[in-house]
Amino acid sequence: MAEEEGPTIELRQRKKPKSSENKESAKEEKINNTAIPERVPKHILFQRFAKIFIGCLAAVTSGMMYALYLSAYHERKFWFSNRQELEREITFQGDSAIYYSYYKDMLKAPSFERGVYELTHNNKTVSLKTINAVQQMSLYPELIASVLYQATGSNEIIEPVYFYIGIVFGLQGIYVTALFVTSWLMSGTWLAGMLTVAWFIINRFCYLLMSASTYTFMMMWEYSHYLLFLQAISLFLLDSFSLEQSDKVHEVYKIYIFSLFLGYLLQFENSALLVSPLLSFVIALMLAKCLQLNVKKGTFVAKIMKVINFYLVCTLTVTLNIVMKMFVPHKENGHMLKFLEVKFGLNMTKNFTMNWLLCQESLQAPSQEFFLRLTQSSLLPFYILVLITCFFSVIQVIFRRINSGKSLKETITLEDGQIGERPEIIYHVIHTILLGSLAMIIEGLKYLWTPYVCMLAAFGVCSPELWMTLFKWLRLRTVHPVLLALILSMAVPTIIGLSLWKEFFPRLMTELMELQEFYDPDTVELMTWIKRQAPVAAVFAGSPQLMGVIKLCTGWMVTSLPLYNDDDLLKRNENIYQIYSKRPAEDIYKILTSYKANYLIVEDAICNEVGTMRGCRVKDLLDIANGHAVCEEGDKITYSKHGRFCREVKINYSPYVNYFTRVYWNRSYFVYKINTVISFQS
């Protein structure tokens, strides 16, 4: 009888009390059965407080020191404080020049409202095109920076450019502090945070890449929902294997939905967020949760339901995303999908834009130099050790969870040697594998993955649980494993820290002491000539990178911008790049006049480009796209009877002189006025 009544009693205890009286009695019973905790001695409280205080102080100090280091390195690299305003602005390259130019426009506006209106209805940047710059370029950081600059009275103390780059360095300092705290919370010791910061600084990226990551990898980054999609996948896998409380996971999903719709409203009804895979995935998860049956854990039926649930979520996600795209008007980045097809070898193309993107260093697979640098600092070996240990421990936990149906342990002791029992470890392992897989395909994503590598490696070597997990697998018996794990968790990071200090600290000091020279007089002369000689209403045509600098330094209108998230701008870039192809003067003239261009700038560095990866020079890509060169065996080649335009136009003979008149030149740039009345002089 007792054996038969056992399950019944267990089921009754799982039921929630219906009435308020039952709830009160349940609370009283729980209170009575709970042992009253003993009062913690004062010296233990003091130790805890001291540990937290020192850790927080170290975290904040690390962030501040890193921000100061970046500021000093930037000053030494560009001699920033010793240059004129024009020379300072030239140091902003590519899309960073465009972002800073809009920050300047906001400061020049008579009011904040007027400045925002001019940015959202901008027709002074790209010829024949009115753009919503705030939406298209996610200019919220620039808007906030301009408000802070004026509201804090900084305009009376500091120049706008110093305030702007100061915010950039400050955000990087906050980022380092966050890495410190994350590693500290995972390992339980702030020594792991110090090691994370050391590895991160040694394996940092160049300044421009870090600046670009600050502009883009904020919450206002237009592609942020793709990264959140990876996080949602990691949480979904945790929930699928019952490795985390389902209610907590679904609370995060609700935050995702709220953030997406709030972003949709604040980003001028950005339809890209509604058709994003993140929204479809989260809605599918919510629907699947509503359809789940309350099945007893561990049963065969429960396991089958898990498989069905997994299949249901995947199917619903794809279906919802297709339906959303059918009914929600959107401008999908079709060029990105085509790029991925070509990147993975699913398609071949001669399209200039696609091949040009494939040739960009940031969109290629990581180089051997990247892995060599990570190995020299001992980061990569320890990361692999930590990742493999955590991964196989997680696999053990998952299989044990599937076979037994038992949930994760609420309290894990060091003697257990099961680091994979901790949900936060499982999440970070899944997340770092997903980010690492992307970084192995596209090098530009390493700035997302490398900080994770630093944090996870530092956590692992400072965690006694990881060493204990290894010892349990090795069945170590000669030395007490717990004692050895505690010793190694302190000794290994200390040895690593000392070796890094001895080898890399002198290098960092050398970087800060070395005065690097940034000397670009040709660009300075070009910008000076434009500001002095060109009409205010003039429109300039040239490479997108140079057009970004012209927009920032002069404010003149241009035909294209170094932005690659708009199909129209990509097509413009491809058409303007034809000035470096083997096409007749008449064709180039028609292209330029179609965009109302008044001046053409030919860059000698692109026209006579050498030393780039084979087949990745701009002129080679143009020849392939125009059929003037062989791409694959069996292709037909069309020989052009015209020379390369950028070279032929310099000779000043007919018909080139009929369409273009050279008005300025130096060693790097040749400026031609586009004739409005064509002169056919022989």
Side-chain angles (χ1 to χ4, degrees):
M1 246 346 245
E3 293 179 358
E4 293 177 0
E5 290 178 359
T8 306
I9 295 173
E10 182 181 357
L11 289 175
R12 287 176 181 172
Q13 289 176 346
R14 288 178 181 173
K15 293 181 179 179
K16 296 181 180 179
K18 297 181 180 179
S19 63
S20 58
E21 295 180 359
N22 291 338
K23 290 181 181 179
E24 294 295 330
S25 60
K27 289 180 181 178
E28 292 177 1
E29 183 178 353
K30 184 176 181 180
I31 293 173
N32 293 331
N33 293 335
T34 303
I36 301 175
E38 297 181 359
R39 192 171 184 179
V40 181
K42 291 184 178 180
H43 70 278
I44 296 180
L45 289 175
F46 177 78
Q47 289 178 356
R48 292 178 181 176
F49 173 78
K51 180 181 178 181
I52 294 175
F53 176 78
I54 295 174
C56 292
L57 183 63
V60 174
T61 304
S62 298
M64 293 177 61
M65 292 298 292
Y66 185 65
L68 292 174
Y69 163 76
L70 286 180
S71 179
Y73 180 75
H74 178 263
E75 173 64 27
R76 293 285 178 172
K77 183 178 179 64
F78 296 111
W79 290 26
F80 208 71
S81 60
N82 297 322
R83 295 188 177 277
Q84 300 296 323
E85 182 180 3
L86 179 60
E87 293 177 311
R88 292 173 185 170
E89 292 177 347
I90 290 176
T91 62
F92 291 89
Q93 299 290 326
D95 58 348
S96 61
I98 302 299
Y99 285 102
Y100 181 68
S101 71
Y102 288 129
Y103 165 75
K104 282 181 56 180
D105 292 343
M106 282 297 300
L107 296 182
K108 294 177 182 177
S111 65
F112 178 78
E113 293 78 9
R114 183 62 187 176
V116 172
Y117 178 82
E118 291 180 353
L119 290 183
T120 54
H121 301 79
N122 188 281
N123 57 1
K124 298 180 181 179
T125 299
V126 183
S127 60
L128 301 179
K129 188 177 178 68
T130 300
I131 61 175
N132 184 338
V134 178
Q135 177 185 0
Q136 189 163 347
M137 302 183 63
S138 299
L139 293 178
Y140 294 98
E142 281 65 36
L143 297 181
I144 295 173
S146 65
V147 170
L148 291 176
Y149 182 72
Q150 294 175 336
T152 57
S154 300
N155 52 346
E156 301 176 358
I157 303 173
I158 189 173
E159 296 180 44
V161 65
Y162 285 108
F163 186 83
Y164 186 79
I165 63 176
I167 290 180
V168 173
F169 298 147
L171 290 174
Q172 287 296 324
I174 294 174
Y175 184 37
V176 167
T177 300
L179 286 176
F180 185 108
V181 173
T182 303
S183 185
W184 176 18
L185 292 176
M186 290 180 63
S187 63
T189 172
W190 50 266
L191 184 62
M194 297 292 292
L195 189 57
T196 300
V197 173
W199 263 328
F200 179 74
I201 294 176
I202 291 170
N203 295 282
R204 71 192 187 282
F205 312 109
C206 65
Y207 164 72
L208 292 178
L209 182 59
M210 296 192 68
S211 299
S213 68
T214 303
Y215 302 144
T216 55
F217 190 58
M218 291 285 94
M219 55 182 174
M220 301 160 194
W221 181 34
E222 59 183 316
Y223 298 118
S224 60
H225 56 275
Y226 290 113
L227 182 60
L228 294 176
F229 177 61
L230 295 181
Q231 294 181 350
I233 292 176
S234 303
L235 293 172
F236 170 61
L237 294 175
L238 280 176
D239 189 22
S240 297
F241 295 111
S242 299
L243 301 174
E244 181 56 282
Q245 296 180 16
S246 181
D247 293 338
K248 289 184 178 180
V249 174
H250 283 81
E251 285 299 320
V252 178
Y253 294 156
K254 294 176 183 177
I255 295 174
Y256 284 156
I257 293 179
F258 174 78
S259 301
L260 281 171
F261 281 105
L262 183 61
Y264 169 76
L265 296 175
L266 294 179
Q267 294 183 9
F268 304 91
E269 298 183 356
N270 185 5
S271 58
L273 296 179
L274 297 183
V275 298
S276 66
L278 174 63
L279 182 60
S280 301
F281 185 62
V282 173
I283 293 177
L285 289 168
M286 293 296 188
L287 292 175
K289 177 178 171 57
C290 296
L291 297 175
Q292 281 181 353
L293 298 176
N294 189 14
V295 183
K296 183 180 178 181
K297 296 181 179 180
T299 65
F300 178 76
V301 177
K303 296 176 182 178
I304 296 298
M305 289 300 300
K306 287 290 184 182
V307 177
I308 296 175
N309 180 69
F310 190 89
Y311 174 77
L312 181 63
V313 169
C314 296
T315 306
L316 279 175
T317 301
V318 176
T319 305
L320 287 172
N321 195 251
I322 294 174
V323 171
M324 293 289 283
K325 290 180 178 179
M326 289 174 59
F327 291 96
V328 177
H330 67 286
K331 292 183 179 179
E332 186 178 14
N333 293 325
H335 61 277
M336 293 303 298
L337 297 177
K338 294 177 183 177
F339 167 78
L340 293 176
E341 289 180 0
V342 178
K343 178 72 176 178
F344 291 112
L346 302 177
N347 197 358
M348 295 291 294
T349 182
K350 297 180 182 179
N351 181 269
F352 169 79
T353 301
M354 290 298 104
N355 289 325
W356 185 82
L357 288 173
L358 286 170
C359 286
Q360 299 305 300
E361 184 179 354
S362 61
L363 296 178
Q364 296 177 5
S367 61
Q368 293 182 353
E369 188 273 335
F370 170 66
F371 295 105
L372 181 62
R373 187 173 70 250
L374 294 183
T375 303
Q376 288 176 342
S377 61
S378 72
L379 174 58
L380 190 60
F382 282 107
Y383 168 74
I384 294 175
L385 172 66
V386 173
L387 181 62
I388 291 177
T389 304
C390 292
F391 177 76
F392 282 106
S393 181
V394 169
I395 295 298
Q396 282 185 338
V397 171
I398 291 175
F399 274 104
R400 185 167 59 251
R401 178 72 186 88
I402 292 175
N403 294 329
S404 65
K406 296 181 180 179
S407 59
L408 295 176
K409 297 180 180 179
E410 293 183 1
T411 56
I412 305 170
T413 61
L414 182 58
E415 290 80 2
D416 293 335
Q418 296 177 355
I419 196 170
E421 287 276 358
R422 293 170 57 183
E424 65 272 23
I425 302 300
I426 302 172
Y427 167 78
H428 286 297
V429 167
I430 297 173
H431 205 195
T432 191
I433 290 175
L434 292 176
L435 290 177
S437 302
L438 292 177
M440 295 304 103
I441 300 171
I442 300 176
E443 185 177 15
L445 294 177
K446 65 185 180 184
Y447 73 90
L448 295 176
W449 180 62
T450 305
Y452 238 114
V453 173
C454 299
M455 183 269 294
L456 198 66
F459 144 73
V461 297
C462 295
S463 174
E465 294 173 314
L466 181 125
W467 297 107
M468 192 62 197
T469 303
L470 277 176
F471 296 154
K472 190 172 183 180
W473 290 347
L474 298 175
R475 298 182 180 178
L476 183 67
R477 300 183 185 278
T478 54
V479 183
H480 197 282
V482 174
L483 178 61
L484 185 59
L486 292 172
I487 293 175
L488 287 179
S489 65
M490 294 294 294
V492 172
T494 302
I495 295 172
I496 294 174
L498 292 175
S499 63
L500 293 178
W501 179 276
K502 181 179 179 181
E503 183 174 357
F504 291 98
F505 183 75
R507 298 186 188 180
L508 296 178
M509 291 297 100
T510 302
E511 286 183 352
L512 294 180
M513 296 301 296
E514 182 182 3
L515 290 174
Q516 303 183 41
E517 185 176 13
F518 180 79
Y519 186 66
D520 192 2
D522 293 344
T523 305
V524 174
E525 291 175 4
L526 174 63
M527 300 303 152
T528 303
W529 180 87
I530 292 174
K531 295 174 72 173
R532 292 178 179 176
Q533 302 295 330
V536 177
V539 178
F540 284 83
S543 69
Q545 289 72 24
L546 182 60
M547 295 301 100
V549 177
I550 289 177
K551 171 62 178 69
L552 167 61
C553 297
T554 69
W556 263 246
M557 192 177 295
V558 295
T559 57
S560 59
L561 290 175
L563 301 175
Y564 313 108
N565 59 353
D566 184 271
D567 291 335
D568 180 63
L569 287 177
L570 284 173
K571 187 62 178 177
R572 281 177 176 242
N573 293 342
E574 182 177 349
N575 290 336
I576 299 300
Y577 265 129
Q578 295 297 324
I579 62 179
Y580 301 103
S581 68
K582 297 178 180 179
R583 296 184 63 175
E586 183 180 4
D587 288 358
I588 304 300
Y589 180 81
K590 289 179 179 178
I591 291 173
L592 296 175
T593 53
S594 68
Y595 296 123
K596 301 297 182 182
N598 304 115
Y599 291 90
L600 167 65
I601 303 179
V602 175
E603 298 175 60
D604 197 59
I606 300 178
C607 188
N608 300 315
E609 188 176 7
V610 293
T612 312
M613 185 188 308
R614 185 178 179 183
C616 279
R617 297 182 301 181
V618 169
K619 52 188 179 182
D620 295 337
L621 296 175
L622 289 168
D623 290 345
I624 292 173
N626 296 335
H628 298 154
V630 176
C631 179
E632 296 290 338
E633 293 184 4
D635 289 347
K636 293 183 179 180
I637 184 170
T638 303
Y639 293 97
S640 176
K641 63 181 179 180
H642 304 281
R644 198 168 299 281
F645 174 84
C646 61
R647 295 173 183 168
E648 299 295 323
V649 73
K650 296 177 184 178
I651 304 176
N652 286 332
Y653 68 84
S654 181
Y656 298 92
V657 72
N658 303 330
Y659 297 101
F660 307 96
T661 302
R662 187 166 61 188
V663 292
Y664 173 81
W665 71 93
N666 58 30
R667 292 176 300 177
S668 302
Y669 305 102
F670 294 80
V671 182
Y672 297 88
K673 188 177 187 303
I674 302 171
N675 299 332
T676 53
V677 178
I678 303 175
S679 173
F680 290 96
Q681 301 176 359
S682 57

